[in-house]
Structure formats: C-alpha cells, structure tokens
Amino acid sequence: MPQKKIALINDYTGFGRCSIAVMAPIISAMKIQAVTVPTAILSAHTQFPEYFFDDYTSKMNAYIQTYKDIGLTFDAIATGFLGSEQQTDIVIDFIKTFKKDAEFVLVDPVMGDYGKIYKTYTPEMCRKMKELVCYADIITPNLTELCNLLDVSYNEGRFSTDELLQMCRVLSAKGPEHIVVTGVPFSSRQIMNYIYSRNEEPRIVMVDRIGGDRSGTGDVISSIIAGMTMNGFGFYESVKKAAEYASKCIKYCEENEVPTHWGLCFEMYLGELV
Ligand code: PXL
C-alpha cells in the first residue's frame, strides 16, 4: 500500500514544542508523510514573555500554488494555529482544493486556554475560526475553544456532561462528525477528555492531572488522533492513545523538572507510536 500523506497547516515555532515542530515528528513516527504548510514563524510560542512572530499570510498562496501545479494530493489535512484573519480563507481554499482526495480534515481550533484567548488571536480571527470548523470532520477544541466557538461563557470550566453533550451536538450539526473536548477540569486529581461522535453514545477518557498545564499538549494530542485515524483506528481508540501518550510525556517532564513552557518531551516515547 502506498504511504499516506497528511498536510499540516500550522505555525513553525522554534522553541517550546508546539505545532509543526511537534506534529511532523509524531506523524512521521506513525509512518505517515508530513507535508508542512507554515502559517507563521515564531522563535518561541506566545506563552513566552518575548517571541519573534513572522506572519506568513502573504506568502502562503504562492507556497500552496506549487502543490496545485504539481497535482499533489493529500490523504488528510490537519490545521492548527493561524496567524491572521485572511489565513482562514486561504486554509478554506486549501481544504476545498485538496479535500476531494482526502479521507478527513482535522481542525484544531487553536484560540486559547484556561478561559483566555491567546494574545495574537483577534475577535475577528475567532469569528473566522467558527467558519473554518464547519469544513472539518474532526475537531479537537479544549474547553476554552469550545465555549468560544459557541459564544458560551467559560464559567470557570464547570460544565456537566449533559451540557457538554448539548454543546457538541450544536457544533456537530455545523459539520464535524467527531469532536473531542480536551483537558476538561474534572477533579483535583483528574482531567476529562469528552469524546463525541455523531449518532453514538459519548465516551470519556480520564487522565491523571500531573503538575501544571503544559503548552503544546493539544498539538501532541491532535497529531496522534490524525495519525491513528489515518492508520485506520476508530475515534475513541485514537483519543485514548493520544491522551495516554500525552500523560506519559507530562509525567516524564514533571519527573525531570522540565519548565511547563518548554512543552512535552514527546521525543522520549516516539517508538511507541508505531
Ligand atoms: O499549542 C498551541 C500554540 C500553537 N502555536 C503557537 C502558540 C500556541 C500556544 O500558545 O503560541 C505559536
């Protein structure tokens, strides 16, 4: 069987383990070819007090034109952090052009965390993200992003599973068949991943809360879900593997006192993803 390829539309961040720098090696470890389309180039991610940020919007169309010209096809498309409003239209155009040969589109609606929107995300970009998720088959919002996509107040992260189900149903009706709400605070010891697939009973994967929250966790999780789905696994199984892998990496980071902004030491266990 020919090797599969996934287009990764995301930022390239040098330090802090997020986005393409995390997703490409994880996808490669799963024996899938990663084709990267940068949305921005940063020296370090936006949780650092200082970072170089080069928005790549004006270059993206010319970059993508090559792929159109050479007739490249993708087996899946995964998108993440966007650097500007206009980028959403470029990404939507990319999906419209390449989706016909793709098995699925995964949109990680990266916008914020812990009830707060990231510094580089304007209200207009958040509005555009609502448009983009309609083109997805799979979305992987955290609770902050789920609330923002639905214009619901964050409520300090307190939602019942019935409320989560309602929210997922509303969002799924706009397009995505599969939704995982990642990192939902559950208790002082546990974090819940709420898994919704249309016309199926929702399921939950609990993981132990270990240490502080770490940047880039969402990118580790979404890339494993993309890779597992590409390799033929079901959504629940993919989320379970992704959540457990992220937990294992977080445990390693805590034991080795790696600062939380340095992201997840995902390199340590790549061999287990095959
Ligand atoms: O992991 C999310 C993410 C991706 N890309 C950049 C970020 C962040 C979160 O802070 O700053 C540049």
Side-chain angles (χ1 to χ4, degrees):
M1 209 170 49
Q3 210 185 348
K4 303 274 180 97
K5 332 181 196 53
I6 302 186
L8 299 178
I9 310 177
N10 215 321
D11 67 88
Y12 172 83
T13 291
F15 184 64
R17 293 193 184 93
C18 68
S19 311
I20 285 176
V22 167
M23 295 186 73
I26 287 179
I27 293 294
S28 304
M30 298 172 91
K31 304 201 184 300
I32 300 160
Q33 184 182 1
V35 180
T36 55
V37 179
T39 56
I41 297 180
L42 295 90
S43 53
H45 62 60
T46 62
Q47 304 305 297
F48 281 92
E50 182 190 320
Y51 50 87
F52 166 81
F53 179 89
D54 188 18
D55 172 23
Y56 210 61
T57 309
S58 63
K59 322 235 173 47
M60 283 179 80
N61 277 328
Y63 187 109
I64 292 165
Q65 190 60 41
T66 307
Y67 299 161
K68 293 183 180 175
D69 291 346
I70 65 173
L72 201 60
T73 60
F74 298 102
D75 300 292
I77 300 164
T79 80
F81 182 96
L82 300 181
S84 74
E85 264 165 66
Q86 303 93 289
Q87 245 172 45
T88 328
D89 294 322
I90 298 173
V91 173
I92 289 173
D93 177 68
F94 187 96
I95 293 172
K96 284 182 176 161
T97 307
F98 293 102
K99 176 155 179 159
K100 54 185 183 303
D101 297 298
E103 289 173 32
F104 64 90
V105 174
L106 182 151
V107 171
D108 185 2
V110 175
M111 285 188 284
D113 221 340
Y114 326 119
K116 290 206 186 72
I117 296 300
Y118 295 135
K119 278 175 260 178
T120 56
Y121 270 72
T122 62
E124 182 57 17
M125 283 169 77
C126 293
R127 197 186 64 72
K128 288 289 223 175
M129 192 60 91
K130 291 178 187 148
E131 215 177 300
L132 179 59
V133 293
C134 301
Y135 291 87
D137 302 293
I138 301 173
I139 59 171
T140 58
N142 60 32
L143 198 52
T144 305
E145 291 153 353
L146 180 75
C147 290
N148 200 278
L149 288 171
L150 293 166
D151 291 318
V152 168
S153 155
Y154 183 65
N155 192 31
E156 288 172 30
R158 283 196 286 268
F159 289 91
S160 66
T161 47
D162 281 350
E163 287 168 326
L164 291 173
L165 177 59
Q166 254 332 95
M167 289 161 88
C168 288
R169 277 191 180 137
V170 173
L171 208 47
S172 178
K174 297 174 198 272
E177 185 182 347
H178 303 287
I179 301 173
V180 55
V181 188
T182 59
V184 181
F186 183 75
S187 68
S188 58
R189 290 192 23 243
Q190 284 190 303
I191 289 173
M192 173 169 72
N193 292 285
Y194 187 83
I195 304 165
Y196 173 91
S197 289
R198 200 182 294 148
N199 303 327
E200 283 179 29
E201 277 299 305
R203 297 178 79 173
I204 283 167
V205 170
M206 288 289 184
V207 289
D208 287 338
R209 191 192 281 269
I210 313 162
D213 295 300
R214 284 184 178 268
S215 46
T217 307
D219 300 312
V220 170
I221 289 177
S222 66
S223 49
I224 296 176
I225 293 173
M228 293 270 294
T229 307
M230 188 88 281
N231 286 338
F233 291 91
F235 191 55
Y236 170 75
E237 223 173 327
S238 304
V239 174
K240 190 166 186 309
K241 172 90 177 186
E244 287 171 357
Y245 188 86
S247 274
K248 192 167 178 176
C249 296
I250 293 171
K251 187 161 180 278
Y252 177 92
C253 295
E254 288 295 320
E255 284 168 1
N256 290 279
E257 297 176 13
V258 178
T260 52
H261 283 10
W262 290 26
L264 269 58
C265 301
F266 68 92
E267 302 89 348
M268 301 312 297
Y269 307 108
L270 279 179
E272 296 175 14
L273 288 175
V274 181

